[in-house]
Amino acid sequence: MNPFPSYSTVAESKLAGRYITNAHIEPLLSDYNHSIIGHSTSGLPIYRIRMGAGDTKVLMWSQMHGNESTTTKSLFDLLRLLDTKPDWLNQLQLSIIPILNPDGAKAYTRVNANQVDLNRDAIDLSQVESRVLRDEFDQFSPDFTFNLHDQRTIFGVDGMPATVSLLAPAFDLARNYNPCRTLAAQLASTIFEGLQPLIGPQIGRFDDHFNPNCVGDAFQSAGVPTLLIEAGHYPGDYGREKTREYVFYAYILSLQAIATTSFSELSIYHLIPENQKIFFDFLLRDVSFIENGSLQRGDIGLQFQEVLQNDSISFQAVFAAVGDLSHCYGHIEPNCEKLNRIDSKIDESAQNVLNTLDL
Ligand SMILES: [Zn+2]
């Protein structure tokens, strides 16, 4: 039995692909109770949407890293669902910031227009976008917060890509569990249990090394249960439309749990396998290549770089690693029998190599 609403009936059809900016979401905002809560470094509006009038307050923000748009698409799917007024919304009051870093979104960069990573600015609050989020946190006074990101295709668990990764960030160096962090971890447990029937082992747990400059760690330290959700790779889905659907389900699972105060056990959280950097976009096994002038035989990993071109994202392969990569995996592992030797130092040849393979 599928406990979720039919995804196709609520998916926001006006958003697709990896390039999501203010210009893409602005036509949708009039459907919701929205306002401008600040402006970015270069003066673009930062929008907030409010939904529900219940007692339990939930703050969610996405695209703090401008090129991480999957969770934003899922937020607009969620808004379409919330528009149908599901019962559990009665318990909740949501504050949603869909694009915290509109300059980074427009330029398709992780950082803001000052080249600052907003997720390393929680103490200094040196950037206007960081202060907008902190002000919303202070004024709205949420009971839970959701820190929403994309992760690179390099992450996997048990030889499978990590399509969704979860983290209840630490609040201290010893990475202890107090009631606040425990609740965040139980939220992750709830998602893990609910998503497993859909994507099996493709769920990872992120590294919980404490960094008080990270916003999730800072909010957890401030005593508000905070969950990090990372949207990752699903096989063949570089537009992250399948991943978007699973993140949407993750939102439903966690918001329903909050509304009904019914969470899975903390012990489940520790069963979620840790994310590992074990994937390349392409892994060419046992090929001849030239490195430092000498001919060698081994494996080559290629990774896509995402490049903004004409308002869409193109994927350009570059060499990422050579040598013995037998412990790694490729999202695509082509048959390399007919491949000539490769000069692994010349990035322009990476795409040429792929062109010669029968993909
Ligand atoms: Zn991120």
Side-chain angles (χ1 to χ4, degrees), residues 146-159:
F146 286 75
N147 186 5
L148 305 171
H149 293 257
D150 271 77
Q151 67 183 7
R152 288 175 292 158
T153 57
I154 59 174
F155 290 102
V157 278
D158 298 333

Side-chain angles (χ1 to χ4, degrees), residues 302 317-319 342-343 346-355:
L302 290 86
V318 297
F319 294 117
I342 299 163
D343 189 335
I346 305 173
D347 271 345
E348 302 89 78
S349 75
Q351 190 58 50
N352 293 338
V353 167
L354 294 181
N355 292 342

Side-chain angles (χ1 to χ4, degrees), residues 4 51-52 56-61 74-75 77-82 86-96 140 143-146 148 186-188 190-191 225 227 229 247-263:
F4 303 109
M51 205 78 162
T56 305
K57 293 192 258 182
V58 180
L59 171 61
M60 309 173 84
W61 68 94
S74 309
L75 280 175
D77 299 335
L78 174 70
L79 286 165
R80 286 277 173 249
L81 173 70
L82 296 178
D87 286 349
W88 44 270
L89 180 59
N90 293 329
Q91 315 305 321
L92 303 177
Q93 196 180 143
L94 300 175
S95 175
I96 294 173
F140 185 59
D143 300 291
F144 291 87
T145 77
F146 286 75
L148 305 171
Q186 286 184 274
L187 212 45
T190 306
I191 294 172
L227 182 68
I229 300 180
V247 170
F248 166 75
Y249 296 144
Y251 294 164
I252 295 175
L253 286 161
S254 42
L255 292 177
Q256 283 180 337
I258 292 170
T260 59
T261 60
S262 159
F263 304 95

Side-chain angles (χ1 to χ4, degrees), residues 33 72 90 97 135 148 177 199 209 233 247 266 273 293 348:
N33 172 19
T72 305
N90 293 329
I97 303 173
D135 286 349
L148 305 171
Y177 283 84
I199 49 174
H209 189 86
H233 186 68
V247 170
L266 172 63
E348 302 89 78

